[in-house]
Amino acid sequence: MKLATYMYNGEEKVGVISSDMKSVTDISQLGLTYASMEELIRNITDEEMVLIKEKLPTAEITDLADVELMAPIPRPKRDIVCLGINYDEHAKESSGFTNIQYKGTPAQAVYFSKRVINAPGPFDFIDGHSDIVADLDYEVELAVILKKEAKDVKKEDAEDYIFGYTIINDISARTLQSQHKQWFRGKSLDDFAPMGPWIVTADEIPFPPELNLSCRVNGELRQNSNTRKMIFDIGYILQEFSAGLTLDACTIIATGTPSGVAMGMESPVYLKEGDVVECEIENIGIIRNTIVCGK
C-alpha cells in the first residue's frame, strides 16, 4: 500500500495511492479519521489496514494531477536519524574529501541527526542557500519509518518495528558539514530533506530490502546502486542504535547513500540554481526537486 500526504482544495489530507499511481483516495472515504500521517502510523490497526484494502476498489478517487503531494511526514516531531558512510564505495570516495585514508570497510557505523522543521515535498523547489553554500551536494537514500516505540530491539525482530519506506535526498552543504567538525549544521539547513513521493508499507517490500536506487542531475546518472550493498543493514542499525536509547514511533531513519556524490568526483560538480535532482528507488518511486536561490 502507498500512503501519501497531500494538499487538495487548501486542505492537508492523508490518502491511499492507486495501484496505477494516477489517483488518490482520501482515507476519510475509507472510514478512517486520522488527521495526519503521524497520527495514522501511531494508531492504525491491522483490522483497519484490511478495511482499507476492502473499500479501496469502490471508493471515490481524485486524480493525482489535481493534488499537491507533500512529504509523507511533512513536519517530523523528531530529528531524522542518519547513517553516514554506509556503502563501501561511498566510504572510498569520501576519504578524498575528508583527507581520512580509506582503510577498508568501516568497522563501526556512523550516526548523526538531521533537523527538519518542514520537509519539502517530492516535487518542491529547494533553496540552495547560495549566500552561504558553495558546495551543495545530493544523496539518494532509502528511509525507514518506525511504526512503534523501539528500544533494545533484537536484529531478528527489526522487521516488526517497520511501518514502511520512503525516499529522502540528504541534501548537504559540504563546507559547512566539515568546518564544524560534525555534520549537523551542514545537513540541516532549511529544505535539506525532500522526501516522498509516499510511504510504501512494509508488507509490500521483502525484508531486508534489496532495492535499486539512483540519482540523476539534469538527466545525468550520478548514483546507481542497490540497498543490499549497505555495510550495516536495517536490522543491525535498529539493534545497535536502540540499545539503551528509545526511538519513538514515526522516527525516520535515513540509511546512507551510495557512491557518486559530487564531493567524490575528481573535479566536483556541485548543484547550482536551476539544477533538477531526481532520486529514484525501485518499488517506491521518484522525487524530483529543482534548486533555487532563495524562496
Side-chain angles (χ1 to χ4, degrees):
M1 188 182 305
K2 295 179 175 67
L3 296 167
T5 300
Y6 63 100
M7 190 70 69
Y8 183 61
N9 288 339
E11 292 186 44
E12 183 177 315
K13 297 178 176 290
V14 178
V16 184
I17 302 297
S18 61
S19 57
D20 62 5
M21 294 179 287
K22 293 182 179 180
S23 63
V24 61
T25 297
D26 184 343
I27 60 167
S28 67
Q29 299 291 326
L30 304 169
L32 303 181
T33 58
Y34 300 120
S36 69
M37 186 69 77
E38 284 204 343
E39 185 179 336
L40 181 150
I41 291 170
R42 292 175 185 277
N43 296 287
I44 196 165
T45 64
D46 291 342
E47 291 76 17
E48 287 173 327
M49 293 291 277
V50 172
L51 183 67
I52 289 175
K53 293 179 180 179
E54 290 176 348
K55 289 189 172 184
L56 193 60
T58 57
E60 181 180 337
I61 63 173
T62 302
D63 287 346
L64 268 188
D66 295 331
V67 310
E68 178 190 350
L69 284 173
M70 303 172 67
I73 301 177
R75 295 166 294 277
K77 290 183 171 60
R78 302 283 185 270
D79 287 358
I80 295 175
V81 176
C82 301
L83 269 287
I85 319 297
N86 199 28
Y87 289 76
D88 198 55
E89 292 300 315
H90 181 53
K92 292 178 183 177
E93 70 178 1
S94 298
S95 65
F97 182 83
T98 60
N99 294 318
I100 299 174
Q101 184 180 0
Y102 175 75
K103 297 181 180 179
T105 301
Q108 299 293 333
V110 176
Y111 299 104
F112 62 95
S113 64
K114 187 178 182 82
R115 178 65 51 86
V116 181
I117 302 301
N118 291 289
F123 307 111
D124 286 350
F125 291 98
I126 295 173
D127 186 353
H129 300 281
S130 58
D131 54 334
I132 56 173
V133 177
D135 42 16
L136 191 69
D137 214 341
Y138 49 84
E139 294 188 2
V140 60
E141 305 197 15
L142 175 69
V144 178
I145 297 98
L146 301 187
K147 66 181 179 183
K148 59 184 178 181
E149 185 177 283
K151 183 179 180 181
D152 297 328
V153 175
K154 292 182 172 61
K155 181 174 182 175
E156 57 269 25
D157 297 331
E159 185 178 6
D160 296 336
Y161 290 81
I162 298 171
F163 179 79
Y165 305 92
T166 192
I167 303 168
I168 184 170
N169 186 351
D170 180 18
I171 301 289
S172 307
R174 296 305 186 188
T175 295
L176 292 180
Q177 179 183 341
S178 61
Q179 72 183 13
H180 294 291
K181 310 305 178 187
Q182 48 72 40
W183 298 356
F184 183 81
R185 175 164 166 72
K187 297 278 192 174
S188 299
L189 298 186
D190 291 348
D191 285 1
F192 273 21
M195 279 189 280
W198 34 65
I199 295 172
V200 177
T201 53
D203 59 302
E204 298 275 320
I205 295 175
F207 187 85
E210 295 189 359
L211 305 172
N212 294 324
L213 71 170
S214 63
C215 179
R216 293 177 292 275
V217 178
N218 301 326
E220 177 191 359
L221 185 65
R222 296 282 184 87
Q223 296 181 278
N224 190 26
S225 189
N226 189 286
T227 58
R228 67 172 172 270
K229 295 184 179 181
M230 289 180 193
I231 298 170
F232 304 101
D233 63 22
I234 294 168
Y236 180 98
I237 294 165
L238 267 179
Q239 176 172 284
E240 181 173 72
F241 201 76
S242 72
L245 190 160
T246 301
L247 296 171
D248 196 12
C250 300
T251 292
I252 302 167
I253 302 174
T255 56
T257 199
S259 62
V261 298
M263 76 169 183
M265 299 176 180
E266 188 171 331
S267 299
V269 182
Y270 290 110
L271 298 174
K272 62 185 185 303
E273 185 173 20
D275 282 351
V276 178
V277 186
E278 293 180 305
C279 295
E280 181 173 6
I281 299 183
E282 180 184 10
N283 294 341
I284 298 178
I286 297 175
I287 63 173
R288 182 182 301 107
N289 303 96
T290 300
I291 307 300
V292 297
C293 295
K295 287 173 63 177

